[in-house]
Amino acid sequence: MADQPGTRGLIFNEPLLWEKGKNGRCAMSIPESDVPQAALPEHCRREDVRFPDLAELDVVRHYTRLSQWNFSIDSGMYPLGSCTMKYNPKLNEKLAASPSLANSHPMLEDGLNQGTIRLLYDLQEYLKAITGMAGVSLQPAAGAQGELAGMLMFAGYFKAKGEQRTKILIPDTAHGTNPASAALCGFKPVAVKSGAKGTLSAESVAALMDEQTAGIMITNPNTLGLFESEIQQIAEIVHGKGGLVYGDGANMNAVMGIVDIARTGVDVMHLNLHKTFSTPHGGGGPGAGPVLCVEKLLPFLPSPMAVRNDDGYAMVSVGEHSIGRLHAFHGNYSVLIRAYGYILSMGAENLKRASQYAVLNANYVKSRLTDVLHLPYDSACMHECVFSDKHLQKHKVMTLDLAKRLIDYGYHPPTIYFPLIVSGAIMIEPTETECKDDIDGFIEAVKTIVGEAESNPELLHEAPCISKVRRLDETQAARKPCLIG
Ligand SMILES: *Cc1c(COP(=O)(O)O)cnc(C)c1O
């Protein structure tokens, strides 16, 4: 096996703490009490709490070993398409953990909480500058909740106009959260077929857009990593029928400082701060999905938001049309701090450069793997590229086998079987934070596996071979989740 990261070292087994405990073990020695024993007050528990008895070293090893079963961007390349698993500078972790920020109580009155509110206000201004939008709410706690906020704003907008619109257009490349968010707000999702090049054509939108349709949800660049180049014509068609354009900004990492989203015709959008603006994420959080909008939708933004007035900074509720609160207090504050730190430490020029490198790296991966993997849409990509398992099928090897085998070579697998319009999709997002050597290592690993598909397909069916666990029963895990360890 090639000398790849992850192919060496020790993987420890680890029992549950309950199995590890031994009567009488103790993590610390406390001196004998030198005061008389008192009777326990009435309400105190009398029976044994039944915690396992463990020494300090037992506990340290237990949690350290468990942590080593995890894979993270800090341990290796994580090219999980659509998720932007880039390296998150430790500076931002340090900022978010600094006591003066982390301990600021959200119920302090504004006059005593000026630093916190100023940070939120400045972040709002930065996000507006990065997207070209007129207003923003930092409340949503994830991209999906940003979408929900956006759809509630769409619904509020049409209600205020006295219009009943029942449908929404959603391209067949969209992330599953798009139709889910729209449906939660009472809109029926109508699929728009992507064209032969993997992008939307203005004609296909024109054919479906009518006055019962609230608008369109569009991801740009889309989930194939392709820029929706007809977005302005599409927005004109939607606006022409009185509709609105929602921009799913999860892929902002490709276009920071390059595309003015407002000028593309988007009315409402969200950003995934945890993806693009440096918060370690995965396994469901933490996140923040600020929702942004153009002038005419400002009254519908969630409340409250940070404003600057003559007395300094304040959190205020906005407008009678506001869709209201989506999160307690000020939103997911620690994620907002990281985004603030990331934007300030990068500066405008470097944010743009980050996007340029993200696009360069993805195109490098794309061009170096096209001779071994099938590329369903062959055009320059943005920050990610999508292959399929078409060339592997003759060896009876599938996308899943390739993904699992990458684990043996020390790489987190790419996103697989998404977007749905590519059968056997392999979606690779290297991000800007990987250097050429590391990307080359990944490319070599993929090439080696493609070679194995021909020479030893059985091996790939069994992969991963050297990981702690082999193939998991994913159906069983989804149908019968075991949530107690
Ligand atoms: C990640 C993602 C979402 C959802 O964002 P979450 O923060 O995971 O809720 C929506 N759309 C696209 C294109 C995404 O990649």
Side-chain angles (χ1 to χ4, degrees), residues 85-298:
M85 305 306 276
K86 61 186 182 181
Y87 172 69
N88 309 287
K90 294 290 171 268
L91 172 68
N92 307 315
E93 299 307 305
K94 209 171 160 187
L95 266 185
S98 71
S100 52
L101 296 174
N103 295 344
S104 79
H105 199 286
M107 287 176 89
L108 277 180
E109 63 164 279
D110 290 356
L112 296 173
N113 212 8
Q114 288 291 290
T116 294
I117 305 175
R118 176 176 173 186
L119 187 153
L120 299 175
Y121 177 82
D122 286 349
L123 180 59
Q124 289 174 185
E125 294 303 299
Y126 299 153
L127 299 180
K128 280 154 60 178
I130 290 169
T131 56
M133 291 284 167
V136 56
S137 163
L138 302 176
Q139 285 237 319
Q145 206 187 15
E147 292 170 28
L148 176 68
M151 288 301 103
L152 287 169
M153 291 168 69
F154 272 34
Y157 171 84
F158 290 114
K159 190 169 171 217
K161 288 182 77 177
E163 284 185 39
Q164 278 274 335
R165 297 204 178 209
T166 52
K167 295 180 286 180
I168 190 133
L169 305 182
I170 300 184
D172 54 7
T173 47
H175 195 269
T177 49
N178 287 193
S181 303
L184 276 176
C185 298
F187 297 120
K188 184 170 170 284
V190 176
V192 191
K193 260 189 162 354
S194 305
K197 290 195 176 134
T199 52
L200 284 185
S201 73
E203 295 93 77
S204 62
V205 174
L208 293 168
M209 185 63 205
D210 59 24
E211 273 151 19
Q212 280 77 55
T213 302
I216 189 165
M217 294 183 91
I218 194 164
T219 308
N220 203 15
N222 70 19
T223 62
L224 290 165
L226 304 175
F227 193 80
E228 293 288 359
S229 52
E230 297 193 22
I231 178 121
Q232 279 179 312
Q233 294 95 300
I234 290 171
E236 263 172 44
I237 291 163
V238 172
H239 290 149
K241 299 274 183 193
L244 297 171
V245 178
Y246 186 86
D248 178 332
N251 292 338
M252 194 69 194
N253 210 46
V255 292
M256 281 185 294
I258 299 166
V259 176
D260 180 334
I261 310 287
R263 277 182 59 197
T264 65
V266 166
D267 299 299
V268 183
M269 70 177 295
H270 76 261
L271 293 171
N272 302 58
L273 296 189
H274 43 295
K275 291 179 180 171
T276 315
F277 298 96
S278 177
T279 286
H281 63 288
V291 60
L292 300 107
C293 67
V294 294
E295 198 81 30
K296 71 177 172 192
L297 283 132
L298 288 178

